[in-house]
Amino acid sequence: MSKVQEVDAVVVGAGFAGMYMQYRLLDEGLSVQGFETGDNVGGTWYWNRYPGARCDVESMDYSYQFSDDLQQEWEWSERYAPQPEILTYASHVADKFKLRDNIKFNTRVKQALFDETLNKWRVTTDQGDEVIATYCIMATGCLSSTNLPKFDGLDSFEGDWYHTGLWPHAGVDFTGKRVAVVGTGSSAIQSIPVIAEQAGHLTVFQRTANFSIPAHNGPLAPEYIAQVKGNYAQIRAENNDTAVGFGARWASNDDSVFDADEDERKRMFEETWARGGFQFMSAFGDLGLNTDANEIAANFVREKIRGIVKDAKTAELLSPKQVLGCKRLCVDTGYFETFNRDNVELVNVKDHPIERITPKGLVTNGEEHSFDIIVFATGFDAMTGSLLSIDTRGRDGLKLKDKWEAGPRTFLGLQTHGFPNLFTISGPGSPSVLTNMIVSIEQHVNWIARCILYMRMNSKQVIEADLEAENEWVEHTNDLGNGTLYPSCNSWYLGANIPGKPRVFMPYVGGFQVYSQKCEEIANTGYRGFDMR
Ligand code: FAD
Ligand code: NAP
């Protein structure tokens, strides 16, 4: 066991959140110890190396804004950057701001205990480290705890299997192989077209069909890059004033779809479909709010699927039945087209779930399908999975997992009552996964850094969310979520993808700009709703 180390702050995780938190705290002269399970920085982009992985928020927006020098010097190659490029960007940031020195890699934080005699956190790792820290900051990620369904017989499989979120660094050669992909969420939808090009035969096992909009990805024109870089401050400011932290410069339409006639609807849908990605949702103002309005847009997408996929039965199976955008919308390159290939087959496992894995493959509907490789694109225990896999105990030994038994409870997604000086970056109850996450991450990190500076200047030792403020926030967050179409389907936003997980809509849906103004107001008024002592 290494000797006990004392620091001002521990930061758990070295994705975009952990890296920027390190930067801010080091810049303010605090001593910081970071821990990261992986052997390098990048988080999501370190782990998700599956073929076709790329961002679905445009690269010029999906990047840090805290350093103008950085955003001017970095050159994105494509409208949606591929995973290797985003990982190189993360590495560049770590080098530029010298962030690696304070991060211990290959080290998983196992436990965080609040020591009431010291008013400090005792943090321990699987490598035997023990650190005492005034602040414990969880930058553990919303989509970092992989979900591998408990299929019987997986150990007996004689081929190779992989989860998209834990992809081998050396890559996987699918050439000529019989491949299965389980799942049809964003990870599957990005990887399926690329795997299909290499594999001998690809079988996709689909439980729920998903909506996907074409990315229309391509190289970024130098003139476009120059134009954005020339106006970056203004573009960032405008994005920061939107509900999702990106897209302010898109032509969006606040009108109701019901105010448009057939021709106008078709024109708007075709136009936004042609622009690609999430812009499709900006065709009309009420697509996310009104079921009937949503159904009109959903039917447009279903019609597109029928137009692309040649086999009518496959097209029907690929047509989603749920509300458009209720599960996170996917953004693809040639996904539906892939099902026109001779070497690709779609198997519906909704009515006949995967029963078990065998040495040769997997069984559904009593039939065994044989494979050389199985890819599980089965997602994540989102938003709370990584937080709850750490044994975190606050005042009076209260365990976070007990406190959150019926669903996460936070004030602003930043703190939870009973756990003083513990902060969560993009925690449940904040806009996080409903936004351009780098924007949300920077906003949280800025708020936490300012708060810590305030405490140090005002000789405050401890900050803790008030129970009353927390209860009000949880109620407000739930009310907002229940007022939308999100609860109408089984998504990971609700924890519905994990058996036994409480069904609670976890992110704050009131909009990034509204949320960040609230956070700002609270900080400006002496941290109302927090007990500082
Ligand atoms: P992460 O990047 O998840 O980093 C968390 C880190 O914490 C991980 O490296 C993990 O190993 C480490 N960690 C966790 N627990 C421990 C522990 N106990 N001890 C030590 N280390 C620990 N968002 C967007 O806005 N736009 C996109 O286009 C987009 N694309 C995505 C594509 C994929 C494939 C996925 C999975 C997510 C995507 N996201 C996207 C969401 C993405 O997770 C965020 O944008 C962002 O990268 C999150 O950064 P983070 O630092 O908060 O978390
Ligand atoms: P996901 O959206 O949760 O999709 C998981 C898929 O696996 C779903 O189709 C699910 O079916 C299926 N599945 C799970 N268990 C199954 C089982 N036992 N049998 C059959 N099918 C099963 O996960 P993801 O695709 O990894 O994406 C998660 C999130 O990460 C995204 O929503 C997005 O926020 C982010 N992401 C973004 C991008 C991007 O484009 N930049 C790419 C990847 C991920 P059901 O729907 O029926 O549950």
Side-chain angles (χ1 to χ4, degrees):
M1 169 88 73
S2 341
K3 81 172 179 31
V4 179
Q5 185 195 350
E6 281 218 45
V7 289
D8 293 317
V10 158
V11 177
V12 188
F16 285 128
M19 287 166 67
Y20 182 46
M21 193 76 246
Q22 289 266 349
Y23 170 79
R24 285 301 306 267
L25 295 179
L26 292 170
D27 200 44
E28 280 173 16
L30 272 77
S31 55
V32 187
Q33 180 60 59
F35 292 110
E36 167 57 55
T37 311
D39 70 12
N40 217 323
V41 296
T44 287
W45 306 102
Y46 169 91
W47 297 107
N48 291 265
R49 298 171 189 235
Y50 60 83
R54 56 181 69 249
C55 52
D56 58 6
V57 168
E58 295 184 25
S59 318
M60 297 294 288
D61 297 328
Y62 188 69
S63 47
Y64 286 123
Q65 58 187 284
F66 71 86
S67 159
D68 191 47
D69 195 31
L70 172 67
Q71 66 183 6
Q72 292 298 335
E73 79 190 1
W74 187 262
E75 203 79 5
W76 293 108
S77 65
E78 293 177 46
R79 180 176 178 191
Y80 300 99
Q83 170 272 331
E85 190 170 321
I86 306 176
L87 187 59
T88 306
Y89 170 75
S91 184
H92 171 75
V93 173
D95 289 341
K96 183 177 173 78
F97 299 104
K98 300 186 176 49
L99 301 178
R100 285 194 184 82
D101 297 351
N102 303 287
I103 303 171
K104 190 162 180 238
F105 293 102
N106 298 308
T107 307
R108 194 176 77 78
V109 167
K110 283 196 323 190
Q111 193 177 55
L113 303 181
F114 187 66
D115 183 327
E116 288 176 68
T117 55
L118 299 173
N119 270 334
K120 290 187 178 182
W121 285 90
R122 285 182 181 273
V123 177
T124 49
T125 76
D126 64 354
Q127 299 301 310
D129 306 276
E130 185 175 352
V131 181
I132 295 176
T134 308
Y135 305 100
C136 180
I137 302 167
M138 298 298 185
T140 46
C142 293
L143 294 159
S144 52
S145 175
T146 50
N147 166 43
L148 182 66
K150 291 187 174 48
F151 293 116
D152 281 346
L154 184 56
D155 288 348
S156 73
F157 182 56
E158 287 167 356
D160 297 318
W161 65 267
Y162 307 95
H163 189 289
T164 48
L166 290 171
W167 204 256
H169 290 199
V172 177
D173 184 5
F174 292 101
T175 315
K177 297 276 180 2
R178 294 164 307 162
V179 183
V181 171
V182 179
T184 48
S186 300
S187 302
I189 281 177
Q190 286 189 328
S191 56
I192 283 166
V194 186
I195 295 174
E197 280 177 14
Q198 281 181 30
H201 190 270
L202 169 65
T203 312
V204 176
F205 291 89
Q206 170 184 280
R207 190 165 65 183
T208 311
N210 246 321
F211 285 104
S212 188
I213 310 295
H216 300 308
N217 189 33
L220 283 174
E223 310 78 62
Y224 175 74
I225 295 178
Q227 189 206 337
V228 172
K229 287 189 175 178
N231 295 288
Y232 239 146
Q234 192 191 337
I235 289 170
R236 297 292 200 184
E238 286 170 4
N239 281 342
N240 295 347
D241 199 27
T242 64
V244 290
F246 65 107
R249 62 191 180 286
W250 300 343
S252 71
N253 179 11
D254 292 335
D255 296 347
S256 163
V257 70
F258 299 112
D259 292 338
D261 62 21
E262 270 305 313
D263 287 351
E264 176 61 5
R265 283 179 193 174
K266 188 157 169 43
R267 194 185 65 75
M268 280 308 290
F269 286 136
E270 287 290 357
E271 206 176 293
T272 47
W273 179 269
R275 280 193 238 132
F278 294 119
Q279 297 206 39
F280 182 72
M281 291 305 278
S282 60
F284 291 97
D286 46 1
L287 303 186
L289 302 171
N290 178 300
T291 322
D292 296 334
N294 188 283
E295 185 62 6
I296 293 170
N299 278 334
F300 175 87
V301 180
R302 292 178 191 127
E303 198 51 48
K304 283 283 181 199
I305 297 170
R306 283 192 278 274
I308 297 169
V309 180
K310 292 191 181 123
D311 177 63
K313 202 167 147 240
T314 307
E316 187 49 35
L317 262 182
L318 287 167
S319 291
K321 308 290 178 281
Q322 70 272 15
V323 158
L324 173 74
C326 173
K327 283 174 184 271
R328 185 178 159 110
L329 201 60
C330 303
V331 178
D332 72 280
T333 298
Y335 174 64
F336 295 114
E337 290 82 349
T338 299
F339 292 91
N340 291 332
R341 295 177 65 106
D342 291 339
N343 68 335
V344 177
E345 177 190 359
L346 182 67
V347 173
N348 177 15
V349 291
K350 189 160 202 83
D351 305 323
H352 304 286
I354 294 169
E355 289 162 32
R356 62 184 185 282
I357 311 284
T358 64
K360 296 280 170 250
L362 60 82
V363 177
T364 159
N365 200 13
E367 188 189 341
E368 185 176 35
H369 300 253
S370 298
F371 299 108
D372 303 307
I373 298 174
I374 304 177
V375 173
F376 294 103
T378 44
F380 301 88
D381 181 355
M383 305 206 67
T384 54
S386 286
L387 288 170
L388 293 178
S389 70
I390 300 171
D391 175 14
T392 304
R393 303 181 195 197
R395 277 191 296 104
D396 305 321
L398 176 64
K399 292 183 180 172
L400 188 63
K401 98 169 166 351
D402 290 341
K403 171 159 182 185
W404 287 9
E405 201 180 2
R409 303 191 70 80
T410 71
F411 183 40
L412 300 168
L414 279 161
Q415 274 215 314
T416 184
H417 176 74
F419 297 79
N421 291 5
L422 180 86
F423 294 100
T424 47
I425 302 177
S426 65
S430 75
S432 62
V433 291
L434 300 178
T435 67
N436 172 355
M437 281 205 69
I438 303 193
V439 168
S440 280
I441 284 168
E442 284 190 80
Q443 184 263 339
H444 261 194
V445 169
N446 290 337
W447 193 95
I448 295 167
R450 178 179 164 192
C451 172
I452 290 177
L453 190 65
Y454 176 94
M455 289 174 73
R456 287 161 71 85
M457 285 170 66
N458 292 280
S459 307
K460 304 285 186 190
Q461 261 194 312
V462 168
I463 179 170
E464 181 179 347
D466 283 340
L467 186 57
E468 203 182 324
E470 179 174 295
N471 288 341
E472 279 171 19
W473 185 252
V474 171
E475 199 179 325
H476 174 57
T477 303
N478 288 342
D479 286 349
L480 288 176
N482 291 335
T484 67
L485 303 180
Y486 283 114
S488 69
C489 71
N490 291 327
S491 69
W492 57 258
Y493 293 133
L494 288 153
N497 61 328
I498 304 294
K501 192 165 171 173
R503 190 182 175 94
V504 175
F505 187 74
M506 294 179 282
Y508 171 82
V509 74
F512 173 78
Q513 79 285 48
V514 174
Y515 171 85
S516 56
Q517 274 162 23
K518 270 185 211 287
C519 290
E520 189 74 7
E521 259 169 51
I522 285 168
N524 290 343
T525 50
Y527 296 90
R528 187 165 35 84
F530 291 91
D531 178 22
M532 239 189 225
R533 48 189 191 266

